[in-house]
Amino acid sequence: MSDRPGVPARDLSDEELERQGVHAHAMRHWVFLHGTADQFRTHTERMLELEQEYLRRHPQRTWQGAGGDADPPSREDRIRDLVQTFSRAMTALLDEEPAAAAPGPRRDPEAAQAALLQRFAQAPDGRLHKLEAHQIARRLAPDNRLVARLYRSDPPLLQAEKDVRVITDAGRAWLAEHPVPA
């Protein structure tokens, strides 16, 4: 971790350690959403370094204050929490309203739905990873809720299976009735 600029966490005063740690935790979403991969890696390493030093000095506390008698979280638990945090941030980002409609011809919502279902029908076993499905949907429609509408419709045209979206029989039937425009 010596390739990062800055004072090593072990050399900081308690007050400065806590200040930098709180700042690093507050900035993690911004760095994830707006920074480069290298900035994110560097920021995460520094944040974990500060947190580990703080927990070493004060094993009974957390960033949020006094912690009770619970053992500090393991490295695996901290990694799992970080992954879940960024998974929620990615989902929220995918669910955001578009800032402005992209210039150019607007696609009919039914045509976009048919085109997306066609991509699912062409995929092996009618399955696409959810991120791939959302990427395709963003190219097809100005609003990025297309995928969610398909598996929340009655009957559902897509089915969610963990990180995968699968076309249903109802989706195949709908696609047969609404061919993809050329």
mmCIF file of all heavy atoms in Angstrom, residues 157-175:
data_model
loop_
_atom_site.group_PDB
_atom_site.id
_atom_site.type_symbol
_atom_site.label_atom_id
_atom_site.label_comp_id
_atom_site.label_asym_id
_atom_site.label_seq_id
_atom_site.Cartn_x
_atom_site.Cartn_y
_atom_site.Cartn_z
ATOM 1 N N LEU A 157 -43.627 -11.303 -18.756
ATOM 2 C CA LEU A 157 -43.004 -11.660 -20.026
ATOM 3 C C LEU A 157 -41.551 -12.083 -19.829
ATOM 4 O O LEU A 157 -40.978 -12.778 -20.667
ATOM 5 C CB LEU A 157 -43.076 -10.478 -20.995
ATOM 6 C CG LEU A 157 -44.502 -9.937 -21.254
ATOM 7 C CD1 LEU A 157 -44.452 -8.768 -22.220
ATOM 8 C CD2 LEU A 157 -45.417 -11.023 -21.748
ATOM 9 N N LEU A 158 -40.959 -11.654 -18.721
ATOM 10 C CA LEU A 158 -39.624 -12.086 -18.308
ATOM 11 C C LEU A 158 -39.708 -12.600 -16.889
ATOM 12 O O LEU A 158 -40.573 -12.183 -16.120
ATOM 13 C CB LEU A 158 -38.626 -10.921 -18.342
ATOM 14 C CG LEU A 158 -38.160 -10.380 -19.669
ATOM 15 C CD1 LEU A 158 -37.144 -9.266 -19.447
ATOM 16 C CD2 LEU A 158 -37.553 -11.466 -20.521
ATOM 17 N N GLN A 159 -38.774 -13.449 -16.553
ATOM 18 C CA GLN A 159 -38.696 -14.001 -15.200
ATOM 19 C C GLN A 159 -37.305 -13.730 -14.653
ATOM 20 O O GLN A 159 -36.314 -13.880 -15.362
ATOM 21 C CB GLN A 159 -38.962 -15.506 -15.280
ATOM 22 C CG GLN A 159 -38.868 -16.247 -13.983
ATOM 23 C CD GLN A 159 -39.194 -17.722 -14.208
ATOM 24 O OE1 GLN A 159 -40.028 -18.068 -15.017
ATOM 25 N NE2 GLN A 159 -38.499 -18.581 -13.496
ATOM 26 N N ALA A 160 -37.235 -13.304 -13.396
ATOM 27 C CA ALA A 160 -35.948 -13.039 -12.754
ATOM 28 C C ALA A 160 -35.489 -14.294 -12.030
ATOM 29 O O ALA A 160 -36.226 -14.870 -11.239
ATOM 30 C CB ALA A 160 -36.086 -11.883 -11.771
ATOM 31 N N GLU A 161 -34.262 -14.712 -12.318
ATOM 32 C CA GLU A 161 -33.631 -15.837 -11.621
ATOM 33 C C GLU A 161 -32.248 -15.395 -11.186
ATOM 34 O O GLU A 161 -31.315 -15.423 -11.972
ATOM 35 C CB GLU A 161 -33.519 -17.061 -12.536
ATOM 36 C CG GLU A 161 -34.841 -17.668 -12.928
ATOM 37 C CD GLU A 161 -34.670 -18.861 -13.867
ATOM 38 O OE1 GLU A 161 -33.519 -19.237 -14.190
ATOM 39 O OE2 GLU A 161 -35.703 -19.408 -14.272
ATOM 40 N N LYS A 162 -32.148 -14.953 -9.947
ATOM 41 C CA LYS A 162 -30.906 -14.390 -9.409
ATOM 42 C C LYS A 162 -30.425 -13.266 -10.304
ATOM 43 O O LYS A 162 -31.111 -12.284 -10.473
ATOM 44 C CB LYS A 162 -29.855 -15.464 -9.185
ATOM 45 C CG LYS A 162 -30.248 -16.472 -8.134
ATOM 46 C CD LYS A 162 -29.142 -17.431 -7.850
ATOM 47 C CE LYS A 162 -29.609 -18.440 -6.798
ATOM 48 N NZ LYS A 162 -28.609 -19.391 -6.485
ATOM 49 N N ASP A 163 -29.257 -13.395 -10.936
ATOM 50 C CA ASP A 163 -28.686 -12.339 -11.767
ATOM 51 C C ASP A 163 -29.024 -12.507 -13.247
ATOM 52 O O ASP A 163 -28.440 -11.854 -14.094
ATOM 53 C CB ASP A 163 -27.166 -12.290 -11.602
ATOM 54 C CG ASP A 163 -26.753 -11.741 -10.251
ATOM 55 O OD1 ASP A 163 -27.599 -11.115 -9.589
ATOM 56 O OD2 ASP A 163 -25.589 -11.942 -9.873
ATOM 57 N N VAL A 164 -29.964 -13.381 -13.553
ATOM 58 C CA VAL A 164 -30.316 -13.683 -14.933
ATOM 59 C C VAL A 164 -31.787 -13.347 -15.158
ATOM 60 O O VAL A 164 -32.607 -13.481 -14.254
ATOM 61 C CB VAL A 164 -30.055 -15.182 -15.237
ATOM 62 C CG1 VAL A 164 -30.505 -15.564 -16.616
ATOM 63 C CG2 VAL A 164 -28.590 -15.522 -15.058
ATOM 64 N N ARG A 165 -32.118 -12.890 -16.369
ATOM 65 C CA ARG A 165 -33.501 -12.672 -16.765
ATOM 66 C C ARG A 165 -33.815 -13.657 -17.880
ATOM 67 O O ARG A 165 -33.019 -13.847 -18.797
ATOM 68 C CB ARG A 165 -33.745 -11.231 -17.249
ATOM 69 C CG ARG A 165 -33.384 -10.176 -16.225
ATOM 70 C CD ARG A 165 -34.253 -10.290 -14.982
ATOM 71 N NE ARG A 165 -33.889 -9.295 -13.983
ATOM 72 C CZ ARG A 165 -33.243 -9.574 -12.861
ATOM 73 N NH1 ARG A 165 -32.867 -10.804 -12.603
ATOM 74 N NH2 ARG A 165 -32.977 -8.624 -11.999
ATOM 75 N N VAL A 166 -34.994 -14.308 -17.799
ATOM 76 C CA VAL A 166 -35.367 -15.373 -18.723
ATOM 77 C C VAL A 166 -36.720 -15.034 -19.342
ATOM 78 O O VAL A 166 -37.647 -14.636 -18.632
ATOM 79 C CB VAL A 166 -35.472 -16.730 -17.977
ATOM 80 C CG1 VAL A 166 -35.806 -17.853 -18.934
ATOM 81 C CG2 VAL A 166 -34.198 -17.031 -17.214
ATOM 82 N N ILE A 167 -36.843 -15.234 -20.659
ATOM 83 C CA ILE A 167 -38.125 -15.006 -21.316
ATOM 84 C C ILE A 167 -39.083 -16.122 -20.916
ATOM 85 O O ILE A 167 -38.703 -17.289 -20.839
ATOM 86 C CB ILE A 167 -37.966 -14.902 -22.854
ATOM 87 C CG1 ILE A 167 -39.270 -14.433 -23.503
ATOM 88 C CG2 ILE A 167 -37.473 -16.205 -23.438
ATOM 89 C CD1 ILE A 167 -39.130 -14.048 -24.969
ATOM 90 N N THR A 168 -40.320 -15.778 -20.630
ATOM 91 C CA THR A 168 -41.334 -16.763 -20.224
ATOM 92 C C THR A 168 -42.110 -17.219 -21.456
ATOM 93 O O THR A 168 -41.977 -16.659 -22.548
ATOM 94 C CB THR A 168 -42.311 -16.148 -19.209
ATOM 95 O OG1 THR A 168 -43.009 -15.076 -19.848
ATOM 96 C CG2 THR A 168 -41.590 -15.653 -17.960
ATOM 97 N N ASP A 169 -42.971 -18.225 -21.260
ATOM 98 C CA ASP A 169 -43.835 -18.671 -22.350
ATOM 99 C C ASP A 169 -44.769 -17.539 -22.770
ATOM 100 O O ASP A 169 -45.052 -17.365 -23.960
ATOM 101 C CB ASP A 169 -44.641 -19.903 -21.915
ATOM 102 C CG ASP A 169 -43.752 -21.130 -21.734
ATOM 103 O OD1 ASP A 169 -42.657 -21.169 -22.344
ATOM 104 O OD2 ASP A 169 -44.146 -22.046 -20.985
ATOM 105 N N ALA A 170 -45.248 -16.760 -21.786
ATOM 106 C CA ALA A 170 -46.103 -15.612 -22.093
ATOM 107 C C ALA A 170 -45.322 -14.583 -22.924
ATOM 108 O O ALA A 170 -45.880 -13.947 -23.829
ATOM 109 C CB ALA A 170 -46.617 -14.963 -20.806
ATOM 110 N N GLY A 171 -44.039 -14.428 -22.642
ATOM 111 C CA GLY A 171 -43.200 -13.519 -23.411
ATOM 112 C C GLY A 171 -43.035 -13.989 -24.845
ATOM 113 O O GLY A 171 -43.095 -13.188 -25.788
ATOM 114 N N ARG A 172 -42.856 -15.298 -25.021
ATOM 115 C CA ARG A 172 -42.737 -15.847 -26.383
ATOM 116 C C ARG A 172 -44.057 -15.687 -27.142
ATOM 117 O O ARG A 172 -44.067 -15.353 -28.323
ATOM 118 C CB ARG A 172 -42.308 -17.308 -26.336
ATOM 119 C CG ARG A 172 -40.874 -17.485 -25.851
ATOM 120 C CD ARG A 172 -40.452 -18.956 -25.912
ATOM 121 N NE ARG A 172 -39.197 -19.175 -25.234
ATOM 122 C CZ ARG A 172 -37.995 -18.943 -25.756
ATOM 123 N NH1 ARG A 172 -37.896 -18.473 -26.964
ATOM 124 N NH2 ARG A 172 -36.907 -19.179 -25.069
ATOM 125 N N ALA A 173 -45.184 -15.902 -26.437
ATOM 126 C CA ALA A 173 -46.494 -15.734 -27.065
ATOM 127 C C ALA A 173 -46.719 -14.265 -27.455
ATOM 128 O O ALA A 173 -47.213 -13.977 -28.554
ATOM 129 C CB ALA A 173 -47.606 -16.220 -26.120
ATOM 130 N N TRP A 174 -46.340 -13.333 -26.566
ATOM 131 C CA TRP A 174 -46.508 -11.916 -26.868
ATOM 132 C C TRP A 174 -45.664 -11.530 -28.083
ATOM 133 O O TRP A 174 -46.111 -10.812 -28.967
ATOM 134 C CB TRP A 174 -46.105 -11.061 -25.654
ATOM 135 C CG TRP A 174 -46.414 -9.618 -25.822
ATOM 136 C CD1 TRP A 174 -47.531 -8.967 -25.442
ATOM 137 C CD2 TRP A 174 -45.582 -8.637 -26.466
ATOM 138 N NE1 TRP A 174 -47.453 -7.645 -25.789
ATOM 139 C CE2 TRP A 174 -46.271 -7.401 -26.431
ATOM 140 C CE3 TRP A 174 -44.337 -8.664 -27.062
ATOM 141 C CZ2 TRP A 174 -45.745 -6.227 -26.955
ATOM 142 C CZ3 TRP A 174 -43.817 -7.501 -27.604
ATOM 143 C CH2 TRP A 174 -44.529 -6.295 -27.545
ATOM 144 N N LEU A 175 -44.443 -12.070 -28.140
ATOM 145 C CA LEU A 175 -43.547 -11.779 -29.243
ATOM 146 C C LEU A 175 -44.107 -12.317 -30.562
ATOM 147 O O LEU A 175 -43.986 -11.661 -31.600
ATOM 148 C CB LEU A 175 -42.158 -12.367 -28.964
ATOM 149 C CG LEU A 175 -41.049 -12.029 -29.943
ATOM 150 C CD1 LEU A 175 -40.864 -10.516 -30.048
ATOM 151 C CD2 LEU A 175 -39.745 -12.682 -29.512
#
